[in-house]
Amino acid sequence: MSYQLNEKVLSLQPYQGGKPLEELARELGITDAIKLASNENPRGSGEGVQNALRDFGTEFSRYPDGNGFALKQALASTYQINADMLTLGNGSNDVLDLIARVALSPDTNAIMSEFAFVVYPLVTISAGAETVVIPAREYGADLSSMLAAINAQTRLIFLANPNNPTGTWVEKDALETFLSAVPERVIVVLDEAYIEYVTKDNYPDGLTLLSRFPNLVVVRTFSKVYGLAAMRVGYAISSPELADYMNRVRQPFNSNSIGMACAIAALGDEAYMRESVELNTRGLIQLESGLEQLGVTYIPSAANFITIEPGESAAEVYDQLLRLGVIVRPLANYGLHQHLRVTVGLERENERFLHALGQLGNQSFPGQKAPS
Ligand SMILES: Cc1ncc(COP(=O)(O)O)c(C=O)c1O
């Protein structure tokens, strides 16, 4: 080839999403499969969203409000914050990219944990910067080693709480101690994509920490508990100053009109949200006890998914589950070759997954023990 490229891009792999149901139907002719692969809300969208869609009508010829005034007002009043602290994105992945582009340049680095969400290295490398990946401790972030890795080139630290794909979490005291020790010149991105699901004690809410830590950026999304993954709406909450910079680099219409209208409706539909969290809490317990009965090890999770360890046969277990019409998520791209991630589904979907896993028999995961 004669053209020249950003060399860093050559090392990137395209993001691999969960296998779509349509693809499984095309490939294996299975039309009644269930998808537990992308941490989506299994209930579909709530009544509030359906009403908002109906009210939106069919007026598609106008550009969206590029400043997202109405959604920002709704978020500001929900969280009791100023609207100038908000940056909207085409999903929170877009917001992560905005932060990377604001903070990073060649010869700088971003620190992240091993097994952290795969988009962190993607946006870091795309911005021409280096990733500093700190080995995980019990699958979760080793905060003291992350602190120790900060150097003069460090501009960003990415921390997902809870983390995808491991479901691990950082408790309130540990997070506060960590934030107090990070120099103010380093921005901490606290990715709370799954926070609404968390029912653990001593769990931190990043929003309450923003006034103490001006270098903190909290990232959230409508893709998970709000049931709007297809609509692509995410946001960051930060100091007005950082929000201003992020808003300078974003594409003018990065949040679309229909998505924002649905997001406002979802934010106001407290019943849907509460029921979704309750369903998830029950589903996690259902999966944990089913896995324990099957003798399959899992990583305790605070989110709407659970990572299991079938062992060396993980790839085979994934394939066999596909043939039984159950799509889960392989994690080899995270270096977790012996694990699979399973999203908490509806009760009957969890049951179908556990039943399918049971059908594969002991030879698929010999000698595995559930944690006590
Ligand atoms: C930790 C984490 N952050 C961010 C995202 C991005 O979600 P979205 O772009 O749909 O808001 C995901 C999606 O899986 C995630 O797991």
Side-chain angles (χ1 to χ4, degrees):
M1 63 188 178
S2 55
Y3 49 78
Q4 293 189 319
L5 293 172
N6 171 355
E7 262 184 34
K8 300 249 180 192
V9 172
L10 303 179
S11 70
L12 290 174
Q13 295 298 324
Y15 177 83
Q16 287 170 359
K19 195 182 211 30
L21 288 162
E22 301 75 20
E23 196 175 299
L24 191 65
R26 267 198 317 274
E27 287 175 2
L28 295 179
I30 300 175
T31 51
D32 68 340
I34 57 168
K35 184 181 173 208
L36 302 177
S38 298
N39 302 344
E40 298 145 336
N41 188 324
R43 302 174 66 208
S45 48
E47 211 181 303
V49 166
Q50 286 165 28
N51 292 340
L53 267 179
R54 203 193 41 234
D55 295 348
F56 187 89
T58 53
E59 177 47 84
F60 305 131
S61 62
R62 306 276 174 209
Y63 281 105
D65 169 5
N67 291 319
F69 178 82
L71 176 55
K72 283 186 181 171
Q73 288 302 315
L75 286 165
S77 109
T78 301
Y79 294 122
Q80 297 295 299
I81 54 168
N82 286 329
D84 62 1
M85 299 170 76
L86 288 160
T87 309
L88 303 181
N90 184 37
S92 56
N93 280 330
D94 183 31
V95 176
L96 294 169
D97 191 49
L98 297 181
I99 301 165
R101 286 198 284 130
V102 161
L104 299 172
S105 54
D107 301 323
T108 66
N109 70 53
I111 296 174
M112 59 204 74
S113 174
E114 182 186 24
F115 312 140
F117 184 45
V118 71
V119 166
Y120 309 153
L122 206 152
V123 297
T124 301
I125 293 168
S126 302
E130 300 290 330
T131 57
V132 178
V133 179
I134 306 303
R137 190 193 287 168
E138 292 179 30
Y139 297 107
D142 178 347
L143 295 182
S144 45
S145 299
M146 288 172 80
L147 272 180
I150 296 173
N151 63 22
Q153 284 71 47
T154 304
R155 295 266 179 89
L156 276 185
I157 301 177
F158 287 103
L159 180 65
N161 204 30
N163 183 52
N164 172 24
T166 54
T168 49
W169 66 99
V170 171
E171 292 194 337
K172 190 164 182 286
D173 312 340
L175 181 65
E176 289 187 27
T177 308
F178 172 75
L179 290 173
S180 308
V182 174
E184 229 178 78
R185 63 173 177 84
V186 176
I187 296 171
V188 178
V189 181
L190 183 65
D191 181 348
E192 296 185 331
Y194 301 94
I195 188 168
E196 296 88 356
Y197 280 115
V198 180
T199 58
K200 305 283 177 197
D201 293 335
N202 194 24
Y203 196 85
D205 174 347
L207 299 187
T208 64
L209 300 170
L210 283 167
S211 58
R212 274 168 61 199
F213 302 104
N215 55 336
L216 179 63
V217 180
V218 175
V219 177
R220 295 194 178 179
T221 182
F222 284 94
S223 298
K224 307 300 176 183
V225 77
Y226 293 103
L228 292 178
M231 294 290 179
R232 313 306 304 132
V233 187
Y235 57 99
I237 310 171
S238 67
S239 68
E241 189 188 39
L242 274 177
D244 176 31
Y245 292 130
M246 283 190 269
N247 276 295
R248 292 185 200 191
V249 298
R250 73 176 171 79
Q251 298 293 320
F253 304 107
N254 64 338
S255 295
N256 72 82
S257 310
I258 306 175
M260 290 193 285
C262 290
I264 292 169
L267 206 54
D269 195 344
E270 282 173 24
Y272 174 82
M273 163 104 158
R274 192 180 53 250
E275 289 155 13
S276 299
V277 173
E278 284 166 5
L279 179 80
N280 186 67
T281 307
R282 288 196 302 274
L284 261 183
I285 294 170
Q286 182 188 2
L287 287 175
E288 284 169 359
S289 74
L291 290 166
E292 280 163 27
Q293 275 169 30
L294 290 170
V296 179
T297 310
Y298 59 86
I299 305 172
S301 169
N304 68 336
F305 54 86
I306 189 159
T307 288
I308 66 169
E309 188 179 359
E312 278 167 22
S313 59
E316 201 186 311
V317 170
Y318 171 73
D319 274 339
Q320 295 196 25
L321 285 174
L322 279 187
R323 281 165 210 288
L324 294 169
V326 179
I327 309 176
V328 298
R329 189 69 157 265
L331 297 175
N333 60 328
Y334 282 91
L336 289 165
H337 296 273
Q338 309 212 351
H339 296 72
L340 297 171
R341 193 193 67 197
V342 187
T343 302
V344 178
L346 301 172
E347 186 181 347
R348 64 170 184 280
E349 293 176 326
N350 301 333
E351 189 50 48
R352 180 159 163 196
F353 158 71
L354 288 169
H355 183 72
L357 197 62
Q359 269 180 274
L360 305 186
N362 284 343
Q363 68 203 39
S364 294
F365 26 89
Q368 299 292 332
K369 285 270 176 301
S372 52

